[in-house]
Structures are given as C-alpha cells and as structure tokens.
Amino acid sequence: MSIKSLLPAAAAVAVAALALTGCTQNNAAPAESSSSSAAPAASAPASSAPAGSADSSATPAPAAPSAGAADASAPITFDESNQHLTIPAGVTKVIVNGSNNAIEGGSVADITVNGSNNDIHVEALTATAAFTGSNNTITFEKATNFKVTSDTGANNTIEGVE
C-alpha cells in the first residue's frame, strides 16, 4: 500500500480532528467555521508529489478562532470551565454555562450566568443580569440603568469598582 493511497483518509482524519477541536472553542458563528473547513479538504485532489515525500498541502492548516468582528445582536455562549476567557469586542449579550471561569470584557448589555463560581469583569453593564448558578461575581466599572431580572442561584453578587 502506498502513501498516496492513504492521503485521502489522512485528510479526512485531520478534518475530523479539526472539527472536534472547534467544538471546544466558542466562536460567534460556529456553523460557518465547521462547514467551510470540512468541504474543501474532503474534495482536495490527490497530490502529485513522489511516493515517500511529505506533502504539506494534504493536511489543512488549523483555522484561527474568529475573535475579530462579532455580531452584536448574537449572544456569545461560554460553555468552557476552568478558563480565562475574553468577551470579543462588540458583543453585547453573554451567556455563561461553564463554571470556575475568569471572564473579561468591554461594554455588555445582557449577562446570563447559568454556571457557578465565575468571576466576570466588564467595563460597563447597561441592561440586565440573570443568574441560575451560584457563587458568581459580576464586577463593572460603570453601569447604566441595569437590573437583575432573576437570581435563582445562591451567593451571587454584582458590584461596581470605585
């Protein structure tokens, strides 16, 4: 069996591994990132490199997380736990499902915290906060008419920096 005959299978495994890696990352548009990287690699033509040589075009390069321009109308969801996370610039709605995170961001309108033991620091909180988890802290530098819409957890705090 030649190396050339294994290249399509190796490419498929690499694409699958890349797709699974993307599952643990939080992207603003997960449907776009997983569908666009899987299709081209699966239909890539066989390499014309001589047998035994390494062909770098057979394995796609890992895609960088899209932390650039974010859609402010779409919420970002953090499912990770035990991480230091950053809210991308422009995102105004945040959902935290994970626990034991340190999260930082700019001006945020709505925060929903379903996980527990999260420390969230934002520059501004402008609309609502809701908690179902416990032992969470939201710290803001300035706030404008925000309100806590629900707090079914225990020991959650919201405090301003002075």
Side-chain angles (χ1 to χ4, degrees):
M1 180 176 286
S2 73
I3 292 177
K4 277 187 168 182
S5 64
L6 295 176
L7 286 178
V13 169
V15 169
L18 182 61
L20 288 175
T21 300
C23 290
T24 61
Q25 296 176 351
N26 191 1
N27 296 329
E32 294 174 10
S33 64
S34 63
S35 63
S36 65
S37 64
S43 62
S47 171
S48 60
S53 67
D55 181 13
S56 63
S57 67
T59 304
S66 59
D71 181 6
S73 64
I76 187 166
T77 301
F78 292 117
D79 293 319
E80 299 86 358
S81 293
N82 304 308
Q83 300 291 317
H84 186 121
L85 305 166
T86 301
I87 301 167
V91 172
T92 60
K93 298 175 185 173
V94 178
I95 300 169
V96 181
N97 293 328
S99 297
N100 304 310
N101 292 307
I103 301 173
E104 297 176 346
S107 180
V108 176
D110 302 304
I111 299 177
T112 300
V113 186
N114 299 317
S116 297
N117 302 311
N118 291 293
D119 183 20
I120 303 165
H121 182 90
V122 294
E123 290 176 13
L125 180 58
T126 61
T128 65
F131 299 98
T132 57
S134 298
N135 302 312
N136 296 293
T137 301
I138 298 175
T139 306
F140 58 85
E141 293 178 24
K142 60 183 175 177
T144 308
N145 298 325
F146 82 91
K147 64 180 181 176
V148 176
T149 57
S150 68
D151 187 355
T152 57
N155 301 319
N156 293 307
T157 60
I158 298 180
E159 53 194 36
V161 175
E162 298 186 25

